[in-house]
């Protein structure tokens, strides 16, 4: 049972994780496929360089017609971190506070596991939640070499790790705040705070145990 809870949580969230990853893969393919159309468009740079508001809106910096500028403006300045954060913060808010509200955390607490082991397994699942999105994006960016994109694999690996660490950091904060408050409703405020940041920079459940949630967890654990 060393990884049972982590595997169970990931299994319960597999649809959303796969959906985020598949959506980002399709979007990334569209972005890299459009690059040959815009790479020689000098007007694109004039549009952003002459309008600081638009440049800030799209996260544009430097030469937009270069491979790095194109990928930064369309993927890594806003959209990829946002998708990773949606997955990580969403899980971080639900894995403790959400299960407490649903009444399933009490069942998990009765397992022969220490509280630290439970939290450690959920943190491990949190670290894995954003990986499919970041990896799917990176894979399709590398495939962009077939669309005249110049991709430095080392730099791509670095920014992918950075995006994952960003998601893990905010997801861990979501876990902490959820554990302290017992509520998951504040998570959208955390995501809005992250959006503002990127625009500037780069025991037993209360009220008793819900029997429906308890039965759901018990069945899932029994199937394992």
């Amino acid at each position: 049972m060393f990884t049972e809870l982590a595997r169970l949580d990931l299994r319960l969230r597999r649809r959303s994780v796969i959906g985020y990853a598949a959506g980002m893969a399709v979007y990334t393919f569209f972005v890299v496929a459009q690059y040959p159309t815009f790479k020689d468009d000098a007007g694109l740079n004039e549009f952003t360089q002459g309008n600081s508001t638009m440049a800030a809106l799209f996260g544009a910096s430097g030469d937009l017609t270069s491979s790095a500028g194109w990928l930064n403006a369309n993927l890594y300045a806003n959209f990829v971190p946002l998708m990773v954060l949606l997955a990580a913060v969403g899980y971080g808010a639900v894995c403790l506070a959400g299960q407490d509200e649903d009444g399933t955390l009490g069942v998990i607490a009765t397992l022969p596991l220490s509280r630290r082991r439970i939290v450690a397994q959920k943190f491990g699942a949190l670290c894995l939640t954003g990986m499919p999105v970041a990896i799917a994006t990176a894979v399709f960016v590398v495939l962009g070499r077939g669309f005249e994109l110049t991709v430095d694999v080392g730099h791509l690996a670095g920014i992918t790790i950075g995006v994952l660490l960003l998601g893990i950091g905010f997801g861990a904060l979501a876990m902490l705040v959820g554990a302290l408050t017992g509520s998951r409703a504040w998570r959208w405020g955390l995501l809005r705070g992250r959006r503002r940041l990127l625009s500037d920079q780069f025991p037993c459940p209360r009220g008793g145990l819900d029997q429906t949630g308890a039965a759901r967890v018990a069945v899932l654990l029994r199937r394992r």
Side-chain angles (χ1 to χ4, degrees), residues 51-178:
N51 192 330
S52 59
T53 302
M54 293 302 297
L57 177 64
F58 289 101
S61 60
D63 185 0
L64 284 183
T65 57
S66 67
S67 297
W70 180 256
L71 293 174
N72 184 61
N74 289 286
L75 289 171
Y76 288 103
N78 284 299
F79 205 54
V80 177
L82 179 61
M83 292 298 103
V84 171
L85 282 167
L86 282 173
V89 173
Y91 173 76
V94 167
C95 67
L96 293 176
Q99 291 184 356
D100 187 17
E101 291 179 354
D102 295 340
T104 57
L105 189 61
V107 176
I108 295 174
T110 63
L111 298 174
L113 293 172
S114 66
R115 301 297 190 268
R116 291 183 179 179
R117 182 69 58 81
I118 292 173
V119 173
Q121 288 199 34
K122 290 183 176 294
F123 179 75
L126 169 66
C127 294
L128 296 175
T129 299
M131 287 185 65
V133 173
I135 292 175
T137 303
V139 168
F140 276 84
V141 167
V142 172
L143 294 178
R145 290 175 171 177
F147 294 93
E148 304 179 36
L149 275 170
T150 302
V151 180
D152 187 309
V153 177
H155 291 168
L156 179 61
I159 195 171
T160 299
I161 293 173
V163 168
L164 284 173
L165 291 176
L166 178 70
I168 292 171
F170 275 87
L173 179 61
M175 284 183 63
L176 176 62
V177 177

